[in-house]
Amino acid sequence: TLLQQGHNQFLVTGDVYRRDEIDMSHYPIFHQMEGVKIFTPAELEKAKELGIDERQYVEHDLKRALEGMVKTLFGDVEMRWVDAYF
């Protein structure tokens, strides 16, 4: 596996198929991407240096990485974060 090969961060993409009915607003096939990053204790120590908790540090790192990926794929586009849960 990627972790056994020594990778500490990677993305996995794949197709998702559902048994949903096709209609004007739904299609049962889409792409999904998942990411993994293992933080070292030294990396998490940076959170203390910045005066934030580890969760905030990890959240900031994730958002920075996702914004970088979007800029690489789509160029300089408008982006915003919406805190929403479902």
Side-chain angles (χ1 to χ4, degrees), residues 45-52 57:
E45 191 66 31
K46 291 179 186 176
K48 291 180 185 175
E49 295 170 11
L50 296 171
I52 59 176
Y57 181 78

Side-chain angles (χ1 to χ4, degrees), residues 8-72:
N8 66 349
Q9 57 187 5
F10 52 87
L11 294 174
V12 179
T13 59
D15 296 330
V16 178
Y17 303 94
R18 293 192 176 174
R19 296 182 181 183
D20 298 342
E21 293 292 324
I22 297 173
D23 62 30
M24 293 290 286
S25 63
H26 295 90
Y27 193 70
I29 302 169
F30 57 92
H31 307 291
Q32 183 167 315
M33 180 180 289
E34 298 184 16
V36 172
K37 180 172 182 179
I38 308 297
F39 288 87
T40 65
E43 288 175 302
L44 295 177
E45 191 66 31
K46 291 179 186 176
K48 291 180 185 175
E49 295 170 11
L50 296 171
I52 59 176
D53 66 36
E54 293 174 354
R55 185 203 59 81
Q56 290 173 307
Y57 181 78
V58 170
E59 179 182 353
H60 174 75
D61 184 80
L62 173 63
K63 287 180 176 180
R64 184 183 51 78
L66 292 173
E67 288 169 354
M69 182 183 69
V70 168
K71 285 182 182 178
T72 298

